[in-house]
């Protein structure tokens, strides 16, 4: 009788723990990247009433035992992917796939799936509790360093260096019907080594040869530019209006910033897919591009699906500065919860393996402007709550029924 009372008590305790787990799941239904828990029950070792043996006739006897109730065997965490919610905030990052963000608090490393990061006053990318997000830095050549992890920091005072123009790309058509001596002009802005902007005009003049043009350079006022043309400044076309490939690159030297040093420039008239042409009809020749740029100031940053943090400058220049590190372990249920959506390593979790989204973790991407939602399903939780409540009621009924039986036993003497 007493044994059944203890069995009922074990049911009450176990179902109370399960109810605690379910309550925690429901309470965190809107917690960023929360992972639901699950209480698993184990049968307690029973008391053996009959051991294995044999009868006098040699027949076997099966063991017989009475169970002693139930206990909580484990509380597991379901690390299933939560849905990604669009927030539009550049520093909000959601992981679609496996892995955790790696963050640092003092000398300790933690893992988290909650990507609701912010920028602190030092320009560091941090969690909402102030822990620094970790990544690898790119060097000045755009190569990823293989050194230790670093705090991801946005240098808001960064500027993009200027770049001298080296190539001027001219494409389009020169009207084959123009008479000798007629001209076509196109213009563009080019840049000196220190970023000073200069305007040049490229003048194409039809020669007496119907398939030949001469080019010259003028300043913004239409005066001849003081340059040294280092190639033949004549370009020719075949009878079908196609540019002679040998004349696709025209070169000249020019002291663009008047410092006494000549800079080299290339007039690029043909590429792999298109070239300057001479067909009858309208003239469409234009400067399509040039490869110089002025100095630029920082206007923002972006984080791509591989976790690469890239600075964007006002001159169009982009610079990679960090790639976010992702961590993984062999046994995620061996991680220890430390609060604030953080997990720490234990001997059960295994060693931390670092990787990059889309590379070492090839099925994982980082989605900027989103947050992973809780993977709690309210329908499942409320159903489990009903089952748990009934299990608790049944365990309580065991105790009351056993008490009634004990009362009957005590009253036998009457």
């Amino acid at each position: 009788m007493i044994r059944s009372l203890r069995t009922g008590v074990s049911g009450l305790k176990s179902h109370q723990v399960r109810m605690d787990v379910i309550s925690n799941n429901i309470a965190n239904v809107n917690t960023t990247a929360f992972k639901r828990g699950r209480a698993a029950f184990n049968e307690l070792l029973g008391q053996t009433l009959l051991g294995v043996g044999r009868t006098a006739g040699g027949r076997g006897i099966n063991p017989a035992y009475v169970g002693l109730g139930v206990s909580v065997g484990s509380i597991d965490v379901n690390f299933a992917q939560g849905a990604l919610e669009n927030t539009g905030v550049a520093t909000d990052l959601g992981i679609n796939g496996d892995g955790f963000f790696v963050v640092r608090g003092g000398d300790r490393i933690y893992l988290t799936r909650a990507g609701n990061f912010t920028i602190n006053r030092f320009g560091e990318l941090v969690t909402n509790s102030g822990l620094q997000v970790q990544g690898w830095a790119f060097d000045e050549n755009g190569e990823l360093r293989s050194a230790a992890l670093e705090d991801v920091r946005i240098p808001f005072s960064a500027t993009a260096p200027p770049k001298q123009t080296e190539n001027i790309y001219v494409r389009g058509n020169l009207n084959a019907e123009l008479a000798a001596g007629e001209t076509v002009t196109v213009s563009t802005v080019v840049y000196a080594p220190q970023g000073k902007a200069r305007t040049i005009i490229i003048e194409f003049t039809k020669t007496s040869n119907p398939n030949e043009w001469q080019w010259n350079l003028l300043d913004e006022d239409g005066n001849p530019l003081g340059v040294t043309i280092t190639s033949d400044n004549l370009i020719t076309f075949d009878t079908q209006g196609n540019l002679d490939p040998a004349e696709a690159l025209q070169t000249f030297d020019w002291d663009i910033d008047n410092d006494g040093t000549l800079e080299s420039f290339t007039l690029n008239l043909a590429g792999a897919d298109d070239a300057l042409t001479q067909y009858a009809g309208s003239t469409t020749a234009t400067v399509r591009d040039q490869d110089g740029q002025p100095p630029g100031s920082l206007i923002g940053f972006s984080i791509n699906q591989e976790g690469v943090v890239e600075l964007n400058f006002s001159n169009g220049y982009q610079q990679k500065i960090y790639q976010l590190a992702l961590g993984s372990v062999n046994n995620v249920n061996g991680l220890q919860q430390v609060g604030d959506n953080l997990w720490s390593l234990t001997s059960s979790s295994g060693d931390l393996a670092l990787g990059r989204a889309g590379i070492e973790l090839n099925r994982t991407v980082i989605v900027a402007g989103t947050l992973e939602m809780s993977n709690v399903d309210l329908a499942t939780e409320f159903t489990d709550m009903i089952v748990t409540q009934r299990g608790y009621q049944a365990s309580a009924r065991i105790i009351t029924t056993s008490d009634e039986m004990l009362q009957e036993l005590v009253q036998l003497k009457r």
Side-chain angles (χ1 to χ4, degrees):
M1 244 18 118
I2 300 299
R3 183 166 52 206
S4 63
L5 286 172
R6 298 297 183 187
T7 300
V9 170
S10 71
L12 291 177
K13 290 182 177 179
S14 298
H15 283 88
Q16 180 60 62
V17 172
R18 188 182 187 193
M19 190 65 181
D20 293 340
V21 173
I22 294 172
S23 299
N24 185 60
N25 290 342
I26 295 174
N28 286 280
V29 68
N30 290 315
T31 300
T32 301
F34 177 79
K35 303 302 178 185
R36 67 180 296 266
R38 179 191 64 182
F41 292 167
N42 285 347
E43 177 189 8
L44 287 177
L45 180 64
Q47 179 181 357
T48 302
L49 300 181
L50 293 175
V52 178
R54 291 183 179 275
T55 63
R59 296 179 181 275
I61 298 176
N62 293 329
Y65 68 93
V66 176
L68 298 179
V70 64
S71 67
V72 178
S74 65
I75 300 177
D76 303 318
V77 178
N78 182 348
F79 281 91
Q81 173 77 48
L84 296 182
E85 177 186 18
N86 183 41
T87 65
V89 179
T91 54
D92 283 348
L93 304 176
I95 297 177
N96 188 9
D98 300 327
F100 298 82
F101 294 112
V102 181
V103 298
R104 180 182 65 84
D107 295 330
R108 297 197 61 183
I109 292 295
Y110 300 97
L111 304 178
T112 183
R113 295 275 300 189
N116 49 332
F117 303 137
T118 57
I119 305 294
N120 66 12
R121 65 189 182 97
F122 302 108
E124 297 169 333
L125 188 66
V126 296
T127 67
N128 56 10
S129 55
L131 277 64
Q132 289 89 354
V133 179
Q134 300 295 287
W136 295 282
F138 286 91
D139 60 22
E140 59 276 4
N141 298 318
E143 298 294 330
L144 193 66
R145 299 175 189 167
S146 58
L149 294 176
E150 301 180 21
D151 298 341
V152 175
R153 181 178 289 105
I154 308 299
F156 287 108
S157 60
T159 58
K163 182 180 182 298
Q164 178 207 322
T165 298
E166 295 179 351
N167 294 280
I168 303 170
Y169 300 90
V170 179
R171 297 291 189 272
N173 183 63
L174 295 174
N175 188 355
E177 297 177 323
L178 293 183
E182 292 192 76
T183 62
V184 173
T185 60
V186 296
S187 63
T188 186
V189 174
V190 294
Y191 297 95
Q194 294 182 355
K196 180 180 179 181
R198 295 287 302 273
T199 299
I200 65 171
I201 298 173
I202 307 169
E203 181 182 67
F204 295 95
T205 303
K206 188 72 172 291
T207 69
S208 57
N209 183 336
N211 294 318
E212 184 181 70
W213 297 74
Q214 183 181 44
W215 62 271
N216 289 288
L217 298 175
L218 310 175
D219 63 17
E220 55 268 23
D221 297 322
N223 300 315
L225 202 63
V227 301
T228 301
I229 297 177
T230 54
S231 63
D232 184 3
N233 66 331
L234 294 174
I235 57 174
T236 58
F237 298 88
D238 60 20
T239 55
Q240 282 76 40
N242 299 314
L243 180 67
D244 184 350
E247 298 178 357
L249 301 179
Q250 302 288 319
T251 58
F252 61 96
D253 293 336
W254 177 28
D255 184 8
I256 185 173
D257 48 10
N258 298 317
D259 63 352
T261 302
L262 293 175
E263 284 78 33
S264 296
F265 298 83
T266 298
L267 202 60
N268 186 308
L269 305 178
D273 300 325
D274 59 356
L276 190 66
T277 59
Q278 180 190 258
Y279 300 145
S282 61
T283 295
T284 61
T286 186
V287 176
R288 181 170 298 178
D289 197 10
Q290 58 84 35
D291 59 2
Q293 63 186 25
S297 57
L298 184 66
I299 59 174
F301 67 93
S302 60
I303 302 175
N304 67 16
Q305 291 189 342
E306 294 180 353
V308 174
V309 182
E310 195 168 48
L311 301 180
N312 302 316
F313 295 90
S314 58
N315 60 356
Y317 179 70
Q318 294 180 310
Q319 179 186 3
K320 297 177 181 178
I321 54 172
Y322 290 99
Q323 183 163 17
L324 300 182
L326 294 182
S328 61
V329 294
N330 291 332
N331 177 24
V332 290
N333 268 294
L335 294 171
Q336 181 177 358
Q337 289 180 294
V338 294
D340 291 333
N341 295 325
L342 300 174
W343 305 82
S344 64
L345 300 173
T346 67
S347 57
S348 297
S349 66
D351 295 332
L352 176 64
L354 298 175
R356 294 166 291 175
I359 303 176
E360 288 83 9
L361 283 74
N362 57 3
R363 293 182 297 177
T364 299
V365 297
I366 296 175
V367 185
T370 67
L371 288 176
E372 183 180 2
M373 301 172 64
S374 169
N375 67 353
V376 172
D377 177 29
L378 285 179
T380 300
E381 299 303 327
F382 280 113
T383 301
D384 289 346
M385 183 185 294
I386 293 172
V387 174
T388 302
Q389 182 182 9
R390 296 308 179 204
Y392 189 91
Q393 289 175 338
S395 297
R397 186 58 57 87
I398 291 174
I399 295 175
T400 57
T401 302
S402 296
D403 177 58
E404 292 173 0
M405 294 175 67
L406 281 172
Q407 186 176 1
E408 289 294 330
L409 180 63
V410 170
Q411 293 177 351
L412 283 178
K413 188 173 182 299
R414 294 182 184 179

